[in-house]
Amino acid sequence: MDFLTLFSVYLCVVLAAGALLCACSGRRESFPARALSGASQVLSFVIPTQLQRVTHRALHRLLHTRSPLFVVLHIALQAAVYGEYTWEVFVYCWELQFHLLLLLLPYLLLAGNMGCFILCSRADPGVITKSSHASLVQIYAYDGVLFQKGSVCPTCNTEKPARSKHCSVCGTCVHRFDHHCVWVNNCIGAFNAKYFLLYLFTLTAMAASIAILTAAFLIQVVLLSNMMHGTYIDDQGQEQAVEILFLIQHLFLTFPRIVFMLGFVLLLTLVLGAYCCFSLYLALTNQTSNEWYKSSRYGCSHHLTLQPCDRQVVYKNIYSKGIWMNLKEIFKPCPVLERKKK
């Protein structure tokens, strides 16, 4: 393996680790973070030390300061997928007389997704200022476990309202802090959580719709060609019936970009779908990513008590008020907050 290839692999692993750490919102002890960190350490044995330092400095600056790089990457990936879908899949499906509304569905989802993306990235997530601090302190009660009354942010030098957290990337304390999302280049907090959920759901729906239409096109090609009932000659010169593996290889050689795009959007659909389910669970239980991670260290119980044997705190989520009220809190934040912010 030449030096350039080795460096590319190393850079990809470190970038993936950094992006995952950002997505995990400071969850430094999570298993994926530890695994990627271990992989990076293994590669560090064969990468020159000076190159490691330069790379880590660049990545630290990239992942710990507000940067539009991931936004540009996000747009570039969308453009590549939609370009391939438009110039090949859409045209082929139109010739095969697919319903026009189905073919236009990914574009409708794209329009909605871009609207949610702009709102999520431009909206104030709930930055705590001197003028809004007094009212924000009264919104949520301190649970005495995750959020202690009298706790002061050492950077902002102000008392931290319950459910708030200081974002080191943005340099501000955020009300009902969830996480800092590099893909929208903004924190996710009380005021833009609804936009982030809609952005996430429309993004998943986009990937799923393109995957379904692309798979339907390839299946239609196979059915029309009657390929499943055909045969081929293998390397030994023997006639063999067409199998799934041969069929996939044939489709890849015939439509390489389409098959590659299908694999990418399928993987994206699975990953985003899992994250959507997790985000929906947090919304229904009135938790943030930050709170979910912190509470995992305490376990859960129906009562908040101190165990006499080891004095360990058992955590209970006191902010959940039922599914309907939890969703209402996200999609219609407290009106007192909105008036104070204006």
Side-chain angles (χ1 to χ4, degrees), residues 136-299:
L136 293 178
V137 169
Q138 302 175 14
I139 299 299
Y140 295 112
Y142 293 91
D143 61 9
V145 181
L146 302 184
F147 307 104
Q148 304 284 347
K149 185 175 180 58
S151 178
V152 176
C153 174
T155 305
C156 301
N157 198 29
T158 56
E159 182 182 0
K160 297 169 64 175
R163 310 192 77 180
S164 68
K165 185 179 184 298
H166 184 86
C167 176
S168 60
V169 179
C170 297
T172 57
C173 283
V174 178
H175 174 57
R176 200 183 183 276
F177 177 86
D178 191 281
H179 70 286
H180 181 88
C181 180
V182 296
W183 298 106
V184 300
N185 198 27
N186 198 7
C187 285
I188 308 302
F191 296 134
N192 64 349
K194 55 186 175 184
Y195 302 134
F196 179 74
L197 283 176
L198 294 174
Y199 161 76
L200 190 60
F201 290 144
T202 53
L203 190 64
T204 306
M206 283 167 49
S209 63
I210 292 178
I212 292 172
L213 286 169
T214 305
F217 159 68
L218 294 176
I219 292 174
Q220 189 76 354
V221 168
V222 172
L223 294 177
L224 290 176
S225 63
N226 203 27
M227 194 180 304
M228 290 298 297
H229 301 288
T231 59
Y232 70 97
I233 306 299
D234 63 14
D235 296 336
Q236 285 73 35
Q238 297 181 353
E239 188 176 15
Q240 301 286 346
V242 172
E243 300 174 347
I244 296 297
L245 182 59
F246 175 84
L247 186 61
I248 294 175
Q249 291 175 343
H250 175 77
L251 290 174
F252 185 79
L253 293 174
T254 308
F255 308 103
R257 293 193 302 272
I258 294 179
V259 174
F260 181 81
M261 183 192 72
L262 176 60
F264 174 74
V265 292
L266 277 176
L267 178 61
L268 197 61
T269 301
L270 293 175
V271 173
L272 290 174
Y275 189 42
C276 274
C277 293
F278 174 69
S279 299
L280 182 60
Y281 161 75
L282 293 180
L284 295 177
T285 56
N286 203 336
Q287 298 182 80
T288 64
S289 298
N290 179 53
E291 293 165 1
W292 176 83
Y293 170 66
K294 288 183 176 180
S295 65
S296 64
R297 294 178 296 180
Y298 298 102

